[in-house]
């Protein structure tokens, strides 16, 4: 996969590209990531990337020309990239979207600043408008970093354990179950006996049940889009009784 990030502050990405999973994925040539300062594609002596909005109003808008030209410059030949506009008006980013993007050959992120974008960027260039959530950031860089991290870890070979991404929270539709490691007894706080039993079928049932419990207590809204098995429905009723709610 190739990921291109268009930003007028490319230095912001130095840390994320040189540490942890992303660094290893780049070294293993699983992904190629390039950050491009789209100011270098702006026309004119001063390479201006923003201008006042027609009709008046506060703030400045990113001009269409530098971004259109930058996208043309980084696009892979004979490929149709997903061009992602980081924008608070976009669809909220989630795990399903990350999995979809991870199947693409190329992603191009456009990181904006100022008051917004020339609407022609949105109408004639972008394939996806995405937001991290219902809050405002100074620019699109932090959103692009978060999405890049989420997507890269899904690429085959990026994680040391191939099953890790499958069992992450949200990948199954539920929050992830609790985890424990050695020692089995730390300052009187003990690991649940079931995890020490060696019975993998029983352990798997416990993990699934605790995943339901955690989702019920913390993110019950996830059940709206999750289809439970008959056994899970029974477990959930038991959990509700155990937690003292119906």
């Amino acid at each position: 996969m190739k990921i291109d990030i268009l930003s007028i502050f490319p230095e912001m990405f130095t840390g994320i590209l040189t540490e942890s999973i992303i660094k290893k994925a780049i070294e293993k040539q699983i992904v190629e990531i390039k950050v491009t300062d789209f100011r270098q594609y702006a026309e004119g002596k001063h390479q201006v990337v923003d201008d006042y909005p027609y009709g008046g109003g506060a703030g400045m808008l990113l001009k269409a020309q530098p971004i259109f030209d930058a996208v043309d410059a980084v696009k892979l030949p004979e490929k149709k990239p997903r061009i992602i506009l980081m924008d608070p008006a976009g669809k909220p980013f989630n795990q399903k979207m990350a999995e979809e993007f991870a199947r693409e050959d190329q992603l191009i992120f456009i990181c904006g600043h100022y008051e917004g974008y020339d609407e022609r960027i949105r109408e004639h260039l972008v394939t996806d408008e995405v937001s991290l959530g219902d809050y405002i950031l100074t620019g699109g860089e932090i959103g692009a970093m978060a999405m890049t991290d989420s997507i890269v870890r899904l690429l085959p070979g990026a994680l040391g354990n191939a099953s890790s991404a499958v069992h992450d929270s949200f990948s199954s539709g539920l929050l992830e179950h609790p985890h424990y490691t050695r020692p089995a007894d730390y300052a009187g706080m003990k690991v649940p006996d079931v995890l020490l039993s060696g019975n993998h079928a029983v352990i798997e049932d416990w993990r699934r049940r605790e995943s339901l419990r955690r989702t019920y207590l913390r993110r019950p809204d996830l059940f709206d889009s999750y289809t439970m098995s008959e056994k899970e429905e029974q477990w959930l009723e038991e959990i509700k009784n155990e937690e003292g709610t119906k």
Side-chain angles (χ1 to χ4, degrees), residues 17-31 152 157-158 160:
L17 300 182
T18 56
E19 300 289 344
S20 191
I21 298 298
I22 292 182
K23 176 187 177 183
K24 293 177 181 177
I26 293 171
E27 289 174 346
K28 291 191 284 187
Q29 299 184 338
I30 293 169
V31 64
V152 168

Side-chain angles (χ1 to χ4, degrees), residues 52-241:
Y52 295 101
Y54 280 121
M60 306 286 280
L61 300 178
L62 285 174
K63 298 169 67 175
Q65 176 271 316
I67 293 178
F68 271 80
D69 286 359
V71 168
D72 283 343
V74 302
K75 275 181 8 181
L76 291 172
E78 301 180 2
K79 298 289 184 181
K80 189 175 182 181
R82 296 287 284 271
I83 303 174
I84 303 164
L85 187 72
M86 302 305 305
D87 190 274
K91 293 182 180 179
F93 183 64
N94 57 30
Q95 188 67 19
K96 183 178 179 181
M97 200 179 295
E99 292 166 1
E100 179 183 337
F101 287 143
R103 294 190 288 267
E104 298 291 333
D105 293 318
Q106 183 182 21
L107 303 175
I108 300 175
F109 288 93
I110 302 174
C111 303
H113 271 264
Y114 312 115
E115 189 64 24
Y117 307 89
D118 185 302
E119 189 66 15
R120 288 166 290 192
I121 297 169
R122 197 188 310 271
E123 291 182 346
H124 302 288
L125 183 64
V126 167
T127 61
D128 301 89
E129 298 175 44
V130 184
S131 168
L132 277 193
D134 295 334
Y135 50 88
I136 306 300
L137 296 171
T138 303
E141 284 78 12
I142 292 175
M145 291 178 198
M147 288 183 62
T148 297
D149 182 89
S150 179
I151 292 163
V152 168
R153 67 192 312 279
L154 295 173
L155 300 177
L159 297 180
N161 185 340
S163 66
S164 294
V166 176
H167 296 292
D168 282 341
S169 290
F170 305 111
S171 290
S172 67
L174 302 176
L175 297 184
E176 196 171 8
H177 57 78
H179 293 275
Y180 298 87
T181 188
R182 291 180 288 185
D185 185 333
Y186 172 69
M189 296 175 282
K190 297 182 178 181
V191 172
D193 290 338
V194 63
L195 298 178
L196 308 176
S197 68
N199 189 325
H200 295 292
V202 172
I203 290 172
E204 187 58 35
D205 280 353
W206 179 88
R207 286 175 170 168
R208 199 66 182 168
R209 199 174 189 276
E210 292 309 304
S211 180
L212 284 167
R213 186 190 303 276
R214 181 164 285 184
T215 303
Y216 171 69
L217 294 175
R218 302 184 184 184
R219 288 292 306 276
D221 57 293
L222 295 177
F223 288 132
D224 293 341
S225 56
Y226 180 75
T227 303
M228 279 185 277
S229 67
E230 187 175 330
K231 178 180 281 190
E232 287 174 327
E233 289 178 352
Q234 179 183 336
W235 283 341
L236 183 58
E237 288 304 311
E238 294 171 357
I239 289 167
K240 290 179 179 180
N241 290 328

